[in-house]
Amino acid sequence: MRSLVSRINSYYDGLSKSDQKISDFLIDNIDTAARLSIQDFATAINVSTATISRYAKKIGFDSFQELKLAIHATERKQDDDFFSELSMDDSYKDILIKSLSSNISSLDATLHLVSENDLKRTMDILLSAQTVGFFGLGGSNTIANLAFHKFIRMPLRTVYHQDFHYQQMLATKMDVNDCAFVISHTGRNKDTMRIVEILKKRGVPIIGITSFANSPLALAADVALVSVSEEISFRPEAVASTVSQISLLDAIFMMYGIRTQDTTENTIKNIRETIKESRL
């Protein structure tokens, strides 16, 4: 159930009122929705069948039938509450299980939402770039730093800075021959969008990583990679999305390494030898 509901939630804020009405109906009736025809849907929600068809495409399906297959494949498990809510009565091991299970759920939902085409477009941009920049503010800054730490091992010029003003300067120095990863959970942060504005003015291809498919960042990016997360007690979804976003960047790092193996191996070897010399 989680991957479909998470997909719906990731598009929710950018949908029209009628489309949000469809989303609400689906989430509330996920157990029985698979048995409804498109006419049944339209009647129950008081919208047209054409609106239902357009809605399916807006949330990433090719047709209403494909959406129905996703609903049909969804099963509500009796232990859903166990894995999504924390209690004062939980043991420490219970909390660990629930936390890790939430991360697994987030990763699974992200896996189903990111397409092969999204990854191909990302790699086409990255493999053509002379410099890659990593940009993010707040919690996303930590993720950008981790990505920078990984990609600095590659034979690719890599830039990053934790300060917003420095990030603006770095963005200004980039051009069409480079690319930028811009990371934001909501995709709506004003300062993050200021960096996006600078990058677009310079013609820099942008790979956006966000949890909301209709966010300003997702719409402005050349490629939007949507990471899915769900909020649980004592833990905001922005924290949960961190796991998916780091995992996405890990996978992209591996994809780039495989595609540039001939030059990458020597760079990684040299870095390892340098680091080894600093150890006691």
Side-chain angles (χ1 to χ4, degrees):
M1 183 189 74
R2 289 185 182 279
S3 62
L4 177 58
V5 173
S6 297
R7 176 190 288 238
I8 292 170
N9 286 336
S10 74
Y11 284 89
Y12 192 90
D13 287 345
L15 296 173
S16 66
K17 293 296 182 183
S18 60
D19 287 333
Q20 289 182 351
K21 193 175 178 182
I22 298 171
S23 296
D24 294 337
F25 178 83
L26 273 175
I27 293 171
D28 292 341
N29 299 276
I30 201 75
D31 287 329
T32 58
R35 295 192 289 273
L36 300 178
S37 67
I38 191 168
Q39 290 80 14
D40 294 332
F41 265 100
T43 301
I45 308 168
N46 196 27
V47 297
S48 68
T49 55
T51 299
I52 301 289
S53 294
R54 287 193 294 269
Y55 169 81
K57 293 179 180 178
K58 286 178 183 178
I59 64 169
F61 294 100
D62 290 334
S63 65
F64 172 73
Q65 288 303 318
E66 186 176 328
L67 171 59
K68 271 198 71 173
L69 288 173
I71 299 169
H72 188 70
T74 295
E75 294 181 0
R76 187 185 296 276
K77 298 181 180 179
Q78 293 182 354
D79 58 359
D80 261 0
D81 287 341
F82 178 77
F83 287 112
S84 61
E85 295 298 329
L86 301 179
S87 166
M88 292 294 291
D89 298 326
D90 287 339
S91 68
Y92 295 132
K93 186 62 177 286
D94 287 339
I95 296 171
L96 174 63
I97 291 170
K98 292 177 182 182
S99 180
L100 294 184
S101 295
S102 176
N103 288 341
I104 292 168
S105 176
S106 176
L107 289 168
D108 182 64
T110 300
L111 178 63
H112 286 87
L113 199 55
V114 176
S115 70
E116 173 70 19
N117 186 53
D118 292 333
L119 297 173
K120 184 180 184 304
R121 289 166 63 202
T122 297
M123 291 310 300
D124 286 346
I125 290 172
L126 191 55
L127 289 167
S128 300
Q130 295 178 2
T131 300
V132 58
F134 294 95
F135 300 89
L137 301 170
S140 296
N141 187 276
T142 302
I143 299 170
N145 190 8
L146 286 170
F148 169 73
H149 183 259
K150 287 184 179 296
F151 273 85
I152 204 169
R153 293 166 170 78
M154 295 295 176
L156 174 69
R157 186 168 180 270
T158 312
V159 297
Y160 157 83
H161 201 283
Q162 64 181 13
D163 182 82
F164 169 58
H165 297 286
Y166 280 82
Q167 288 188 38
Q168 290 182 91
M169 288 188 279
L170 288 175
T172 303
K173 291 180 66 177
M174 301 177 77
D175 60 30
V176 294
N177 298 309
D178 306 318
C179 76
F181 282 88
V182 180
I183 306 157
S184 171
H185 169 61
T186 64
R188 297 179 182 279
N189 181 281
K190 287 184 178 180
D191 289 340
T192 299
M193 292 311 297
R194 170 58 183 155
I195 293 169
V196 169
E197 180 186 345
I198 295 169
L199 291 167
K200 290 188 75 68
K201 190 178 294 185
R202 299 288 301 161
V204 182
I206 299 170
I207 303 162
I209 297 182
T210 179
S211 296
F212 295 91
N214 283 331
S215 64
L217 172 58
L219 297 176
D222 295 273
V223 184
L225 303 176
V226 180
S227 59
V228 179
S229 63
E230 293 188 5
E231 185 174 339
I232 64 174
S233 298
F234 310 116
R235 182 188 188 194
E237 61 180 14
V239 175
S241 70
T242 300
V243 175
S244 294
Q245 292 175 352
I246 291 173
S247 298
L248 264 175
L249 287 160
D250 279 346
I252 293 168
F253 170 78
M254 295 303 296
M255 293 172 203
Y256 185 85
I258 289 294
R259 290 290 180 267
T260 60
Q261 191 169 358
D262 290 345
T263 53
T264 297
E265 283 186 340
N266 191 52
T267 303
I268 291 176
K269 180 182 177 182
N270 290 339
I271 289 174
R272 282 177 176 169
E273 289 177 353
T274 299
I275 293 174
K276 186 176 179 180
E277 290 174 1
S278 68
R279 291 175 179 157
L280 296 176

